[in-house]
Amino acid sequence: MIYKLKELEVRSADDRDNFGVPTFTPTQASHVPKAKQRWLDTVVGGVSATFLVLVILILVYICLMRVKRSIRQAAELESSMQSLPGESQRGNNPATARAQSPNNDPCIRKLSISELEQATYNFSPNNIMGEGAFGLVYKGLLQDGTIAAIKRHLYTLSPNFIDEATRIGHIQHKHLVKLIGYGRSNYQQLLVYDFISNGSVQRQLYDSEGLPTGKLSIRQRLSIALGAAKGLAHLHSLAPPVLHMHFRTSNVLVDENYTTKVSDFGLSNLLTENYRAESSSAMDCFLDPRASTTLYTEQSDVYSFGVFLLELVTGREAMNINHSTSHRNIVSQARSIQKLEYFIDYTLEQQAQSTAIQMLQLAQLCIDASPNRPSMTNIVLALELIEEREIGVTHQESSQDIVPVALGSDLFS
């Protein structure tokens, strides 16, 4: 047996080598504490090394993120600085400064071509809603879920595109279609508008042959005319006035509540001189004949509004009012007709005739060849007066339909 006492080893008398005599032999200290110390040192060293590596990795990550953010900010700054051609000649113009940083403008968004391609399924023909002066119009779904009308202009690009898009984006009114963004590349320029669900009034008025559909009542037509007039009046009230220069029935839209929205305003500076030269009053009934010899003015928009009123009341397309008199457009007929009641949309009810005649008389003032056409503000006032009369007549007719009932009459028997 072995007994340990204060680091002395006691051997019993049973051990043969000592013939039964107990002896005390010094022994070396145990190695167990030293092994534990080495294990503890190893663990502490490993943890320290791991912590040091982790700290280094975090510092490297932070540095990389800062470098990446600096590169991105520099790229955005360079992109915005290149957004306007010839900006070095423009100096410190505030309008230019706004256009250089469009992403900071709450009124308009700069959209990437990739997002607009995705929104329209790469400008699929199935997404085409129509075509206007600026180009084809596509229905699209933006990344934030907004349904938009995207107008695409190819090849003949305007050098002032961002300036003009920013200016249009700042024009906001209840009866104007809002421009929410734009995009551009080397060969195309795109304008992104709010989507107006019920589309153009043109589709509500007449069919593909230019004949009345009878979908709109006189009250609806009057409301549409008043809304469009208010939209144009707002454009003319700005300083400086904004001329539409392309007003027509196809550019008057109605939303789900039949609120009128005027579209395509402010695009004249984005269209090429060749496009404007191709337009003439001989081909375009909405174009003021006086605009070919004089400068385009607010009165030219008034003329176009008068043609719009004629279409609204007759329910027929301006250029070809009927097949028997295809050589005469709606304007020449309105100027020469003797009895206006024969010029009214035959799908309207008889009681609508008085309101329709008043609207036709206002239209005749708008297309007058003299320079004495009314302003859009006065047209708004005139239409509001016609609307008051229409509402008054409707209430009177409704009250006449109510038969007074005396107590004890047969109705209660």
Side-chain angles (χ1 to χ4, degrees):
M1 296 177 62
I2 297 175
Y3 302 93
K4 291 183 180 179
L5 180 63
K6 294 184 180 180
E7 298 184 353
L8 294 178
E9 190 175 276
V10 182
R11 297 183 181 274
S12 68
D14 294 334
D15 293 342
R16 297 177 184 177
D17 295 338
N18 294 302
F19 303 100
V21 179
T23 60
F24 294 91
T25 306
T27 62
Q28 294 180 350
S30 175
H31 296 288
V32 175
K34 290 185 177 180
K36 288 182 178 179
Q37 184 67 33
R38 283 198 300 270
W39 178 82
L40 183 60
D41 292 343
T42 302
V43 171
V44 172
V47 171
S48 300
T50 303
F51 179 75
L52 182 61
V53 171
L54 184 61
V55 170
I56 293 174
L57 289 175
I58 292 175
L59 292 175
V60 171
Y61 176 79
I62 293 173
C63 292
L64 288 176
M65 289 297 99
R66 288 182 177 179
V67 171
K68 184 177 180 181
R69 184 165 60 250
S70 299
I71 294 174
R72 184 170 63 250
Q73 289 175 349
E76 290 176 354
L77 178 61
E78 181 181 0
S79 174
S80 63
M81 291 295 289
Q82 293 177 351
S83 62
L84 287 175
E87 63 182 356
S88 58
Q89 288 83 12
R90 298 187 187 185
N92 295 323
N93 189 343
T96 304
R98 280 198 308 269
Q100 288 173 350
S101 55
N103 290 332
N104 297 328
D105 194 331
C107 294
I108 190 167
R109 297 161 53 189
K110 182 180 180 181
L111 301 166
S112 66
I113 294 298
S114 60
E115 179 176 355
L116 296 178
E117 288 176 341
Q118 182 181 1
T120 59
Y121 293 94
N122 202 22
F123 299 106
S124 167
N126 295 331
N127 284 51
I128 295 177
M129 298 192 300
E131 183 174 9
F134 193 69
L136 291 175
V137 185
Y138 297 82
K139 184 178 181 179
L141 180 64
L142 302 181
Q143 291 178 356
D144 63 358
T146 301
I147 301 176
I150 302 171
K151 301 186 178 185
R152 189 186 192 197
H153 189 67
L154 297 173
Y155 306 118
T156 54
L157 308 182
S158 168
N160 302 319
F161 174 69
I162 297 181
D163 265 343
E164 294 300 323
T166 303
R167 183 174 66 94
I168 296 170
H170 281 80
I171 302 174
Q172 299 185 30
H173 188 268
K174 176 183 178 180
H175 295 291
L176 297 176
V177 180
K178 177 175 172 52
L179 178 68
I180 59 178
Y182 69 91
R184 70 169 191 165
S185 68
N186 294 332
Y187 66 92
Q188 60 183 336
Q189 294 172 338
L190 302 106
L191 296 173
V192 184
Y193 290 88
D194 277 339
F195 175 75
I196 308 301
S197 57
N198 278 327
S200 169
V201 174
Q202 190 178 44
R203 300 177 183 176
Q204 310 284 333
L205 274 179
Y206 44 80
D207 57 21
S208 58
E209 296 183 356
L211 299 176
T213 62
K215 294 180 180 179
L216 298 175
S217 66
I218 192 63
R219 178 74 65 84
Q220 288 175 315
R221 300 182 199 211
L222 181 55
S223 175
I224 290 169
L226 182 56
K230 288 180 177 179
L232 281 180
H234 177 73
L235 292 176
H236 292 181
S237 70
L238 299 175
V242 174
L243 306 181
H244 194 294
M245 298 181 68
H246 197 68
F247 184 84
R248 60 205 59 245
T249 309
S250 59
N251 288 334
V252 180
L253 314 180
V254 285
D255 64 12
E256 63 277 6
N257 299 317
Y258 267 79
T259 300
T260 312
K261 306 280 186 179
V262 176
S263 69
D264 275 14
F265 58 90
L267 298 184
S268 58
N269 292 335
L270 296 177
L271 302 175
T272 63
E273 292 296 332
N274 291 334
Y275 176 87
R276 288 193 288 266
E278 290 172 358
S279 299
S280 69
S281 58
M283 297 185 302
D284 187 355
C285 295
F286 288 87
L287 184 61
D288 181 9
R290 290 171 52 199
S292 59
T293 57
T294 61
L295 291 176
Y296 202 100
T297 66
E298 293 97 322
Q299 294 293 294
S300 302
D301 278 347
V302 170
Y303 180 92
S304 301
F305 184 82
V307 181
F308 162 69
L309 273 182
L310 292 178
E311 281 202 350
L312 206 55
V313 178
T314 63
R316 293 180 169 88
E317 190 174 9
M319 191 60 194
N320 185 15
I321 192 166
N322 59 54
H323 298 285
S324 61
T325 58
S326 58
H327 64 285
R328 299 178 63 200
N329 63 39
I330 197 172
V331 176
S332 59
Q333 291 195 25
R335 286 173 173 167
S336 61
I337 196 165
Q338 298 297 321
K339 292 187 176 182
L340 292 178
E341 55 267 25
Y342 296 148
F343 207 43
I344 299 172
D345 185 349
Y346 57 80
T347 65
L348 290 173
E349 297 179 354
Q350 183 67 26
Q351 56 266 34
Q353 193 171 92
S354 175
T355 299
I357 289 177
Q358 293 177 69
M359 293 173 68
L360 285 176
Q361 290 172 339
L362 180 59
Q364 287 179 323
L365 294 176
C366 294
I367 62 173
D368 192 81
S370 72
N372 297 323
R373 298 168 187 163
S375 66
M376 288 308 307
T377 301
N378 288 334
I379 291 172
V380 169
L381 295 175
L383 288 171
E384 286 177 339
L385 182 59
I386 296 173
E387 186 179 51
E388 289 178 5
R389 292 171 180 169
E390 166 63 21
I391 294 174
V393 169
T394 303
H395 284 317
Q396 185 178 2
E397 290 175 350
S398 299
S399 62
Q400 288 176 353
D401 292 337
I402 301 175
V403 179
V405 179
L407 292 176
S409 66
D410 294 338
L411 181 63
F412 298 101
S413 59

